[in-house]
Amino acid sequence: MQPLAGYGVSKVLESGHSDYKKGDLVWGFTKWEEFSLVSPTLLFKIEHTDVPLSYYTGILGMPGMTAYAGFFELGSPKKGENVFVSAASGAVGQLVGQFAKLTGCYVVGSAGSKEKVDLLKNKLGFNEAFNYKEESDLDATLKKYFPEGIDIYFENVGGKTLDAVLLNMRVHGRIPICGMVSQYNLTQPEGVTNLPNIIFKRVRMEAFFVNDFYHLYPKFLEFLLPYIKEGKILYLEDLAEGLENGPKALVGLFSGRNVGKQVLVVAHD
Amino acid sequence: MQPLAGYGVSKVLESGHSDYKKGDLVWGFTKWEEFSLVSPTLLFKIEHTDVPLSYYTGILGMPGMTAYAGFFELGSPKKGENVFVSAASGAVGQLVGQFAKLTGCYVVGSAGSKEKVDLLKNKLGFNEAFNYKEESDLDATLKKYFPEGIDIYFENVGGKTLDAVLLNMRVHGRIPICGMVSQYNLTQPEGVTNLPNIIFKRVRMEAFFVNDFYHLYPKFLEFLLPYIKEGKILYLEDLAEGLENGPKALVGLFSGRNVGKQVLVVAHD
């Protein structure tokens, strides 16, 4: 039996690689186990320890880099632009929204519960947020929040949401595609019928994979660490304690129960 | 009653604009009439007259710039890449295919008749071509011609073709979207169901409008004129004579009857 794989923070106990020595903290693709043998591929040494170490599984790790690369590199945001984020209270979405605000954009998020919508509006600084499950006409909802249209849609869900967004993009709009989570478990994917709309609006849609952007990691830390230390960016985590509670935490992700990045604490330093 | 508008070549008879004087040849957005009053917006002076003047309605005009901007600027082609062009015998598609060959790419085109397929393979230098009307399983057809997948799909048609292409893109593939002509006259657009495929392949789809690229016109002429003069690029035209034959020529476009760029000769110089 193989342990599950996932992003984690670890302390080096022994190393055969010249870049890593005993006592170093690292983050990267590790396993759900107390002691791991990991390869240095896609492993990052943790240089800044004046922030919670759990942040390296989230805001300072893969989800943070995903939000950063998708929003800044693919989204090319400009001050004053209109940004829409789906799955906006998720590990990536909550950061995209805050990056958009820091850039001087107007940002609206969608999420799947009243609690999450409240968080977006009252804690995370989104201009507006709505519960997509309560909207019967997403096109009309988007027209209400974006009477002038959307410049950047950060795409996490696909399907019906994307189809409504395509009716509401502005000229030269950008759609960085991070995921289409609504489509993955369907036996028959929903058809997107509004693609021809992107022609007269000259829209760019681009799917990306965070691994193609890790060369930006130092620039990303330089950008983000000051905001974290000054409290100008919040990051919601849902901490569970003990490897034995891992399965329960994992299941919670699929019921939409947890709020913020789910982190499992295997051991304290 | 207003005359129809379209791209044409004209000789200046009188000018109130300092950039144009009597006798200058120009191309741009003019009208279907013998004498026109035109504004200098989107009008280009013709500097090179050692090629057929009709070329400025096609290969050296808007369709040429469309193929150039879409293929080179959005497609970012590299030698050895695999290129697929739909509506490949059209005014734009026939040039994209030839630009791809000049770049050292492998290029396959689709068109709607045996005659057009023969032209693509035997006159225009495409590596392969097929009649999409004779293919019952476009996915299988594309897998046959592109066993390693498609790097650049120059999109002219949308719908079923795009859906099959999405199953066959390579990692970091690009889809410049010039048009989706199969969808324009449908009351209910066909759904594109395979969009989620672009995520793991990190594909970029980008719609464009040639008017955003005319700053490249001098660079385009510098690239293209030598190839035309050396006979390394062919351009198929279908010349009709006389304004009175315009309507018949226009109708032919919609029945798929004509081959190559339809040009109407109103007057000889």
Side-chain angles (χ1 to χ4, degrees):
Chain A
M1 229 170 56
Q2 290 288 316
L4 289 174
Y7 284 88
V9 170
S10 304
K11 182 181 261 183
V12 176
L13 295 180
E14 226 183 285
S15 165
H17 192 288
S18 58
D19 287 357
Y20 301 93
K21 61 178 199 302
K22 190 176 165 176
D24 281 349
L25 290 165
V26 296
W27 73 268
F29 209 62
T30 61
K31 293 168 198 151
W32 289 42
E33 57 191 0
E34 284 186 76
F35 301 95
S36 276
L37 187 68
V38 294
S39 118
T41 320
L42 277 184
L43 211 57
F44 295 83
K45 207 182 288 193
I46 294 175
E47 313 274 4
H48 302 270
T49 54
D50 49 353
V51 292
L53 286 181
S54 60
Y55 276 20
Y56 289 95
T57 68
I59 183 169
L60 293 176
M62 184 275 281
M65 267 304 298
T66 302
Y68 180 81
F71 184 65
F72 289 110
E73 295 294 309
L74 277 71
S76 311
K78 286 186 281 292
K79 192 178 163 179
E81 287 194 320
N82 298 332
V83 177
F84 176 52
V85 187
S86 55
S89 73
V92 174
Q94 59 172 295
L95 291 175
V96 172
Q98 294 182 83
F99 292 166
K101 288 304 296 179
L102 288 169
T103 311
C105 298
Y106 165 83
V107 59
V108 178
S110 64
S113 76
K114 186 183 177 309
E115 183 190 8
K116 290 175 182 177
V117 167
D118 288 345
L119 270 173
L120 294 174
K121 290 209 285 194
N122 302 326
K123 272 198 106 160
L124 296 171
F126 282 61
N127 293 88
E128 297 286 350
F130 64 86
N131 181 348
Y132 70 90
K133 293 178 182 168
E134 288 179 352
E135 304 294 329
S136 57
D137 182 346
L138 274 176
D139 176 29
T141 304
L142 292 173
K143 285 196 164 48
K144 183 176 76 182
Y145 289 117
F146 296 100
E148 291 176 349
I150 299 165
D151 295 292
I152 301 176
Y153 168 47
F154 195 95
E155 164 69 302
N156 284 310
V157 304
K160 289 187 177 65
T161 303
L162 176 58
D163 229 2
V165 165
L166 290 171
L167 298 171
N168 288 281
M169 291 301 291
R170 287 178 93 168
V171 167
H172 286 136
R174 287 84 69 198
I175 305 183
I177 301 180
C178 177
M180 294 193 179
V181 71
S182 74
Q183 303 298 295
Y184 298 153
N185 291 325
L186 302 178
T187 45
Q188 185 73 33
E190 295 174 300
V192 169
T193 56
N194 295 325
L195 265 185
N197 283 276
I198 69 178
I199 294 176
F200 296 109
K201 302 294 177 62
R202 294 101 95 188
V203 170
R204 184 174 73 215
M205 300 176 68
E206 187 167 0
F208 70 103
F209 186 30
V210 63
N211 288 12
D212 291 335
F213 291 92
Y214 278 124
H215 59 283
L216 300 176
Y217 191 64
K219 195 178 150 202
F220 162 76
L221 284 183
E222 202 179 308
F223 162 81
L224 196 53
L225 282 168
Y227 285 124
I228 293 176
K229 290 176 188 167
E230 293 163 21
K232 289 191 176 158
I233 282 198
L234 287 181
Y235 191 64
L236 303 177
E237 290 183 320
D238 187 346
L239 295 176
E241 287 276 344
L243 193 49
E244 67 280 9
N245 290 315
K248 202 170 76 184
L250 181 63
V251 169
L253 290 177
F254 294 97
S255 64
R257 198 191 58 200
N258 83 304
V259 173
K261 171 68 179 176
Q262 178 70 64
V263 180
L264 182 70
V265 182
V266 176
H268 291 272
D269 188 33
Chain B
M1 230 172 50
Q2 291 289 315
L4 289 174
Y7 284 88
V9 170
S10 304
K11 181 181 262 185
V12 177
L13 295 179
E14 225 182 286
S15 165
H17 192 288
S18 57
D19 287 356
Y20 301 93
K21 61 177 201 303
K22 189 175 165 177
D24 281 349
L25 290 165
V26 295
W27 73 268
F29 209 62
T30 61
K31 293 166 198 152
W32 288 43
E33 57 192 1
E34 283 187 76
F35 301 94
S36 277
L37 188 66
V38 294
S39 119
T41 319
L42 277 183
L43 211 59
F44 295 82
K45 207 181 287 193
I46 293 174
E47 313 277 3
H48 302 270
T49 54
D50 48 353
V51 291
L53 287 180
S54 59
Y55 275 20
Y56 289 95
T57 68
I59 184 169
L60 293 175
M62 184 274 281
M65 267 304 296
T66 302
Y68 181 80
F71 184 66
F72 289 110
E73 295 294 309
L74 277 71
S76 310
K78 285 185 281 294
K79 193 179 163 180
E81 287 194 319
N82 298 332
V83 177
F84 176 52
V85 186
S86 54
S89 72
V92 175
Q94 60 173 293
L95 291 175
V96 172
Q98 292 181 85
F99 293 167
K101 288 304 296 178
L102 288 169
T103 310
C105 299
Y106 165 83
V107 59
V108 178
S110 65
S113 75
K114 186 183 177 309
E115 184 190 6
K116 290 175 183 177
V117 168
D118 287 345
L119 270 173
L120 294 174
K121 290 208 286 193
N122 303 325
K123 271 198 107 160
L124 296 170
F126 283 61
N127 294 87
E128 296 286 349
F130 63 87
N131 180 348
Y132 69 90
K133 292 178 183 168
E134 289 178 353
E135 304 294 329
S136 57
D137 182 346
L138 274 176
D139 176 30
T141 305
L142 291 173
K143 284 193 166 51
K144 183 176 77 183
Y145 289 117
F146 296 101
E148 291 175 350
I150 298 165
D151 295 291
I152 302 176
Y153 168 47
F154 195 95
E155 164 69 303
N156 283 310
V157 303
K160 289 187 178 66
T161 302
L162 176 58
D163 231 1
V165 165
L166 290 172
L167 298 173
N168 289 282
M169 292 300 290
R170 286 178 95 167
V171 168
H172 287 136
R174 288 83 70 198
I175 305 183
I177 301 180
C178 178
M180 294 194 181
V181 73
S182 74
Q183 302 299 295
Y184 299 153
N185 291 326
L186 302 178
T187 46
Q188 185 74 33
E190 294 173 300
V192 169
T193 56
N194 295 326
L195 264 186
N197 283 277
I198 69 178
I199 295 176
F200 296 108
K201 302 294 178 63
R202 295 100 98 186
V203 169
R204 184 174 74 214
M205 300 177 67
E206 187 166 0
F208 70 102
F209 186 31
V210 64
N211 287 13
D212 292 335
F213 291 91
Y214 277 124
H215 59 283
L216 300 177
Y217 191 65
K219 195 177 148 201
F220 161 77
L221 284 183
E222 201 179 308
F223 162 81
L224 197 53
L225 281 167
Y227 285 123
I228 294 176
K229 290 176 189 169
E230 293 162 21
K232 290 190 178 162
I233 282 196
L234 287 182
Y235 192 65
L236 303 178
E237 290 184 319
D238 186 346
L239 294 176
E241 287 275 346
L243 194 49
E244 67 281 9
N245 290 316
K248 202 171 75 184
L250 182 63
V251 169
L253 290 178
F254 295 96
S255 63
R257 197 193 58 200
N258 82 305
V259 173
K261 171 70 180 176
Q262 179 69 64
V263 179
L264 182 70
V265 182
V266 176
H268 289 270
D269 186 35

